[in-house]
Amino acid sequence: MVKGVASDWKCHLCHYLQTASEMPTNCHSDELGEKYADGVNWDELGFRIIPTDSMYTMKCSDGDNFSQGHLIPYGNIELCPSAGILNYGQGILEGLKATRTEDGRIMLFRPKENALRMKMGAERMCMPSPSVEQFVDAVKQTVRADKRWVPPPGKGALYVRPLLMGSGSVLGVAPAAEYTFLIYASPVGIYLKGRPSLNLYVEDKLRRATPGGTGGIKSVTNYAPLYQEQKEVRAKGFSDVLFLDSVTGKNSEEISSANIFILKGNVISTPALIHGTILPGVTRKSIMEIALDFGYQVEERVIPVEDLLEADEAFCTGTAVTVNPIGAVTYQTRRYMYNLVEYKTGNGAISQKLYETLTGIQTARLEDKKGWTLEVN
């Protein structure tokens, strides 16, 4: 193993390099001649970490710009105890997928949007960030290096996780002196196997985000506060939690890690990005454009819970879930106390049509007329 050294109050990110004997080397080929990692049951992929071959790392000091990064073997990292990410949560994450087409090509979906969102989040968290070009190039390098871990067509995707963190040492409440950009990846299957319609519980006491906070960026601090409520709700048989706005407690905002949409007549609506409490999802943005192409009127607006309960259909979007129908919502009020409100989730549902179109573009089954996809190999 090779370790970096932390000294003079400066923390360096160190990587425990795996030996050749620890690295997976066996692989097999399909009829297209593409090599795949051996020992993976591609038909039973879940949404969990499966270690790949490589990851990407790049550093810079506060006040400087990121320069040349490089690939290293996938493995653990070492941080000094006073690193900004560990003490004050100074970190941003992203998520995107690489998918394999029927003819063996590997495609990314709108990686520039993830790069731009990371830059926006980094500015809010007082961090330098890679340029859009650096971000996209780093993602491409990582996917190429882990090419054999991209599942066969229709079996899943390679989930790519870029991280930006304050890796430098800091004791007082202040930005770190050094930053690390890191990308790792893992093959994943369908986030919700079989895409079952969701059974949501509307949380009317705890809040996910507040105006002026960090709900509109992918800060690493956004998610752990949701775990307790999510765990309790799932123990009661619900799929997930829908959170309301923190000002009035009456308007729908987000599920734990997904945006929400409703359909009423010919109008598709999603909560507006007006207070910085809702994440500007890449899938959200794409679905809005596809819905417009289908002839629907698309609105970004405040959505009271009552509008959700009275909708013709509801669904959520995100990199992990893609597009998933919402089958039921339980909302505890005087009027709808623990009522189960059913939505249209049959074959004619708009969510299914949007899902098929989006995934068709992502996997090149449908022509990409918008220039959203980027071929890696």
Side-chain angles (χ1 to χ4, degrees), residues 19-96:
T19 63
S21 62
E22 293 174 319
M23 297 295 293
T25 56
N26 297 326
C27 47
H28 66 276
S29 300
D30 68 356
E31 66 276 7
L32 298 175
E34 288 286 348
K35 292 184 177 180
Y36 293 100
D38 199 14
V40 180
N41 186 341
W42 301 108
D43 293 317
E44 296 296 331
L45 283 177
F47 204 87
R48 62 186 185 279
I49 289 292
I50 298 176
T52 58
D53 297 327
S54 305
M55 58 187 186
Y56 182 97
T57 184
M58 179 166 55
K59 295 182 182 180
C60 82
S61 298
D62 189 28
D64 295 335
N65 295 320
F66 280 97
S67 56
Q68 185 63 37
H70 58 281
L71 290 163
I72 61 174
Y74 180 93
N76 294 334
I77 63 173
E78 184 179 275
L79 292 169
C80 60
S82 53
I85 181 70
L86 298 179
N87 288 260
Y88 300 114
Q90 192 183 22
I92 295 287
L93 60 88
E94 272 296 331
L96 62 159

Side-chain angles (χ1 to χ4, degrees), residues 97-347:
K97 290 177 179 177
T99 53
R100 197 181 293 269
T101 65
E102 290 293 339
D103 60 2
R105 292 176 296 152
I106 297 175
M107 312 295 286
L108 294 170
F109 183 72
R110 308 190 77 174
K112 290 184 179 180
E113 294 294 328
N114 296 91
L116 290 168
R117 188 169 64 183
M118 175 168 275
K119 288 184 70 68
M120 177 185 71
E123 182 177 350
R124 174 67 176 84
M125 301 289 282
C126 202
M127 307 168 71
S129 64
S131 67
V132 172
E133 293 74 22
Q134 287 175 321
F135 181 102
V136 174
D137 180 65
V139 169
K140 289 170 68 176
Q141 287 192 50
T142 306
V143 173
R144 284 196 194 103
D146 287 333
K147 182 178 179 180
R148 69 198 191 103
W149 297 94
V150 181
K155 302 296 185 180
L158 184 71
Y159 190 91
V160 183
R161 170 51 58 81
L163 294 168
L164 179 62
M165 65 186 105
S167 52
S169 178
V170 59
L171 185 60
V173 182
E178 182 183 82
Y179 295 89
T180 298
F181 177 64
L182 178 72
I183 303 178
Y184 67 89
S186 174
V188 297
I190 305 301
Y191 186 67
L192 297 167
K193 215 136 183 96
R195 296 183 61 247
S197 58
L198 300 180
N199 177 16
L200 298 183
Y201 177 81
V202 179
E203 172 55 52
D204 58 358
K205 294 182 178 61
L206 299 180
R207 300 291 178 255
R208 173 189 166 273
T210 58
T214 59
I217 63 172
K218 286 188 77 71
S219 166
V220 298
T221 59
N222 286 353
Y223 299 92
L226 309 180
Y227 294 166
Q228 181 181 7
E229 181 62 18
Q230 190 179 62
K231 180 179 179 180
E232 292 177 356
V233 161
R234 287 177 175 172
K236 297 176 182 178
F238 297 99
S239 308
D240 213 330
V241 187
L242 173 65
F243 291 92
L244 305 179
D245 74 293
S246 62
V247 177
T248 69
K250 297 179 180 179
N251 303 313
S252 308
E253 286 210 329
E254 272 195 32
I255 302 173
S256 299
S257 58
N259 296 118
I260 190 168
F261 286 79
I262 64 170
L263 170 69
K264 188 69 174 178
N266 194 53
V267 181
I268 293 177
S269 304
T270 190
L273 311 175
I274 53 178
H275 298 302
T277 56
I278 297 170
L279 187 71
V282 177
T283 308
R284 172 187 183 273
K285 182 177 182 179
S286 304
I287 287 301
M288 290 170 65
E289 294 186 44
I290 294 172
L292 285 170
D293 292 343
F294 285 165
Y296 287 92
Q297 181 181 337
V298 178
E299 296 180 342
E300 295 181 83
R301 65 177 177 87
V302 173
I303 299 181
V305 178
E306 287 72 22
D307 287 7
L308 172 65
L309 298 174
E310 296 170 4
D312 296 332
E313 188 178 337
F315 57 92
C316 63
T317 65
T319 299
V321 301
T322 313
V323 182
N324 212 94
I326 296 171
V329 175
T330 297
Y331 179 46
Q332 184 180 13
T333 68
R334 290 181 301 173
R335 185 177 181 183
Y336 296 101
M337 185 172 293
Y338 296 108
N339 281 351
L340 206 60
V341 183
E342 298 291 343
Y343 292 101
K344 300 175 183 176
T345 56
N347 293 331

